Amino acid sequence: MSGRRLPAEPGELASRIRAGEVRAIARGLTWIEAGGLRAEGLLEALYPHRSTAHVIGITGAPGTGKSTLVRALAREARARGRSVAIVAVDPSSPFSGGALLGDRIRMTDLAHDPGVFIRSMATRGALGGLCPAAGGAVDLLSAAGRDLVLLETVGVGQDEVDVMRLAQTTLVLSVPGLGDDIQMLKAGIIEIADIHVVNKADREGADRTIASLRAMLSMGEAAAGGWQPPVLACVATRDEGTAAVLDEAGRHLAHLVESGEIVRRKRRIAEARVLTLAQGLLAGTLDRSTGTEDAEMAAAIDRVASGDESPYRCARALLARTSRAEGDSPRA
Amino acid sequence: MSGRRLPAEPGELASRIRAGEVRAIARGLTWIEAGGLRAEGLLEALYPHRSTAHVIGITGAPGTGKSTLVRALAREARARGRSVAIVAVDPSSPFSGGALLGDRIRMTDLAHDPGVFIRSMATRGALGGLCPAAGGAVDLLSAAGRDLVLLETVGVGQDEVDVMRLAQTTLVLSVPGLGDDIQMLKAGIIEIADIHVVNKADREGADRTIASLRAMLSMGEAAAGGWQPPVLACVATRDEGTAAVLDEAGRHLAHLVESGEIVRRKRRIAEARVLTLAQGLLAGTLDRSTGTEDAEMAAAIDRVASGDESPYRCARALLARTSRAEGDSPRA
């Protein structure tokens, strides 16, 4: 199968992706990163065929061992016979195209298992705002039949919180002694954590970190749907406690389904996807205006720059123009 | 003057703001933070009357002494007879409404000088994406006739980079021994720095930090318009070197004007303003759909959530709907 040429037509590539062909998946993700009509055609073809993949988001400050935990979770899931995709997302910069290469290399013990697909992506738009690539990647991997999608981010910031909106279950990592509790609170990450994981729990101060997380959580409101975020300890480098983390993620998904909370969560994911895509279309229109493709829009921006037109009026023009242009464009 | 009631009509409030009345400025910023048509009416009225305020952005990792430098720059500018506004922006979270209160308190030695207006804002939208409030605040303060607007962010991340797009001159702070060079590179902050400031330069390792910044800069491309970002040292707590920082910021603005680069920079600012506003309008439409105001849009999101409709189709519908709604809405 791997010897066959990959199709250049979205519908055909979609078929090969649905069959789970790894090269087709990789090609599809490249299309999605590039964006545009080809990406859209592909995802239109795949969207109705998404499976019930469990999407687990993993976030935490640098140095908390996210990649190590992700790798341990992937190994554990494979041992249980489940297929896995790992998407490592760097939303921090439009400049870091080669983001997370180090993580990819560190994951080489999994690299030869076709049951584990690994990809890193930079998802930041040049004009600011998250690119829709991460959401598209999750949809594609779900349509490809992966049982588990592990969505890892590089740090803890608002962009990471936005990425975590794509997950059904969000793990937030901390480690003893990093003193990042305040940083986490700042970024609003506590509010999105379904499961807290204290990694490197063999270090001094682990009990204190666990206790302070629990104390903080006990002060918060009861989570939506009655889920009380647990605090788990593990040592990911030694695979200690990581099976329990995977178990707990499974319990969280089951809870979402049983409580009916899954409906709200799917709606939240849908909202994030739709808004990101629409914002991306706006940025695309603006981006074309900086070239010579759209002299009218370029002139409007110049009028704003010189103070002859308010940015509000121009923002409306941008919306109208994007809406018109997108309504006219061919569908795949 | 301060005894007069503040008007509830945008045009009248705009007049009072243009007269420089501090209470009117504060009220106007509150309107801008709340957003909506009242904010828009106010900024429509103010936009043509923006003065030639010099907007200086100040960013850097936590612990680099941004607030202290901002305060020192404000004092120095006041000593030179210039009026100042300080806007401290926290783009990290929609949850931190009381952002930067600590900074405000620490600035109390300036609090009784009407020539220094101080405001902190949380600028993150609940659905992700920067709110247009920071851009609106800069426009308002410029129309109020402030000579210098100091725009401070809390950390170094992509959101901070986006905020810095509103400034004519961007200062990036570092301190000896924080080891944040890599972090800065990651966030793409090097690319936007017009002036590097090494604060706490009396600490050990300052020479090394300065040298490594210079080495890094010498490897980069020549900046747009021929400006070579300088590296300055200061000890902001003792006002050492801070006057030179203000001088250098002035030289940078002069360079922008003389080289004609100011045109491009104003265009960049205009693009960022317009895109942020348009994206905010989209988020507003989506936000209304979660209530009962817009059953049609809510149903579309539900179809995406259940997989019956692709997010692309829905994103187009969101654009069309926002464009239509905004075209119909009354203008102030």
Side-chain angles (χ1 to χ4, degrees), chain A residues 4-230:
Chain A
R4 283 165 63 200
R5 263 183 84 101
L6 288 170
E9 195 276 314
E12 287 175 37
L13 187 63
S15 301
R16 303 269 286 270
I17 288 168
R18 288 180 57 203
E21 194 183 323
V22 169
R23 280 175 58 235
I25 293 171
R27 175 67 57 89
L29 290 174
T30 302
W31 285 17
I32 284 169
E33 275 191 292
L37 284 173
R38 203 170 50 171
E40 173 167 357
L42 180 63
L43 281 171
E44 286 276 2
L46 289 173
Y47 200 75
H49 303 288
R50 290 174 309 150
S51 68
T52 52
H54 186 190
V55 184
I56 302 180
I58 298 99
T59 192
T64 49
K66 291 182 293 294
S67 292
T68 312
L69 177 66
V70 164
R71 197 167 55 172
L73 293 176
R75 271 195 306 264
E76 178 65 26
R78 291 299 294 143
R80 298 179 189 184
R82 301 173 73 195
S83 63
V84 176
I86 299 171
V87 182
V89 166
D90 184 356
S92 64
S93 171
F95 305 102
S96 59
L100 297 161
L101 190 62
D103 297 318
R104 256 190 294 181
I105 292 166
R106 270 183 282 143
M107 288 198 213
T108 43
D109 58 323
L110 293 168
H112 298 292
D113 175 359
V116 182
F117 183 90
I118 302 171
R119 177 77 163 226
S120 57
M121 308 178 98
T123 59
R124 187 81 196 184
L127 282 166
L130 278 180
C131 280
V138 167
D139 287 342
L140 185 151
L141 292 162
S142 167
R146 295 283 156 165
D147 299 318
L148 193 66
V149 177
L150 300 171
L151 192 60
E152 174 200 349
T153 65
V154 292
V156 193
Q158 190 55 42
D159 286 329
E160 278 78 6
V161 171
D162 290 346
V163 171
M164 289 299 120
R165 280 179 208 269
L166 298 168
Q168 284 139 6
T169 302
T170 298
L171 312 184
V172 175
L173 258 72
S174 21
V175 290
L178 246 194
D180 53 355
D181 307 34
I182 291 158
Q183 176 57 32
M184 279 173 21
L185 273 170
K186 264 203 99 52
I189 206 108
I190 289 292
E191 286 85 348
I192 62 154
D194 298 309
I195 299 168
H196 288 275
V197 179
V198 177
N199 192 20
K200 309 184 184 179
D202 53 344
R203 282 195 189 171
E204 202 183 308
D207 293 345
R208 209 165 50 240
T209 302
I210 293 166
S212 74
L213 271 170
R214 288 201 173 124
M216 188 163 53
L217 289 168
S218 71
M219 289 187 301
E221 299 161 35
W227 176 260
Q228 194 60 48

Side-chain angles (χ1 to χ4, degrees), chain B residues 6-211:
Chain B
L6 288 171
E9 194 276 316
E12 286 174 40
L13 187 63
S15 301
R16 303 268 287 268
I17 288 168
R18 287 180 58 203
E21 194 184 323
V22 169
R23 280 176 59 235
I25 294 172
R27 176 66 58 88
L29 289 174
T30 302
W31 285 17
I32 284 170
E33 275 190 293
L37 284 173
R38 203 170 50 169
E40 174 168 355
L42 180 64
L43 280 171
E44 286 275 1
L46 289 173
Y47 200 75
H49 303 289
R50 290 173 309 150
S51 67
T52 53
H54 186 189
V55 183
I56 302 179
I58 297 100
T59 192
T64 50
K66 292 183 294 294
S67 293
T68 312
L69 177 66
V70 164
R71 199 168 51 173
L73 292 176
R75 272 195 306 263
E76 179 64 26
R78 290 298 295 142
R80 299 179 188 184
R82 302 173 72 195
S83 64
V84 176
I86 299 171
V87 183
V89 166
D90 184 356
S92 64
S93 172
F95 304 102
S96 60
L100 296 161
L101 189 62
D103 297 317
R104 256 190 295 181
I105 292 165
R106 270 182 282 143
M107 288 200 214
T108 42
D109 58 325
L110 293 168
H112 298 292
D113 175 359
V116 181
F117 183 91
I118 302 171
R119 177 76 164 227
S120 57
M121 308 178 97
T123 60
R124 188 81 195 183
L127 281 166
L130 279 180
C131 279
V138 168
D139 287 342
L140 184 152
L141 292 162
S142 167
R146 294 283 155 166
D147 299 318
L148 194 65
V149 177
L150 300 170
L151 191 62
E152 175 200 348
T153 64
V154 292
V156 193
Q158 190 55 43
D159 287 329
E160 278 79 6
V161 170
D162 291 346
V163 171
M164 289 299 119
R165 280 179 208 270
L166 298 168
Q168 284 139 6
T169 302
T170 298
L171 311 185
V172 176
L173 259 72
S174 19
V175 290
L178 245 194
D180 53 355
D181 306 35
I182 292 157
Q183 176 56 32
M184 280 174 20
L185 273 170
K186 265 203 99 51
I189 206 111
I190 289 292
E191 286 86 347
I192 62 153
D194 298 310
I195 299 168
H196 288 275
V197 179
V198 177
N199 191 20
K200 309 185 185 180
D202 53 344
R203 281 196 189 170
E204 201 183 308
D207 293 345
R208 209 165 50 241
T209 302
I210 293 166

Side-chain angles (χ1 to χ4, degrees), chain A residues 310-325:
Chain A
S310 89
Y312 285 93
R313 207 167 293 255
C314 189
R316 293 224 162 79
L318 178 65
L319 276 166
R321 200 160 194 82
T322 307
S323 179
R324 217 156 50 231

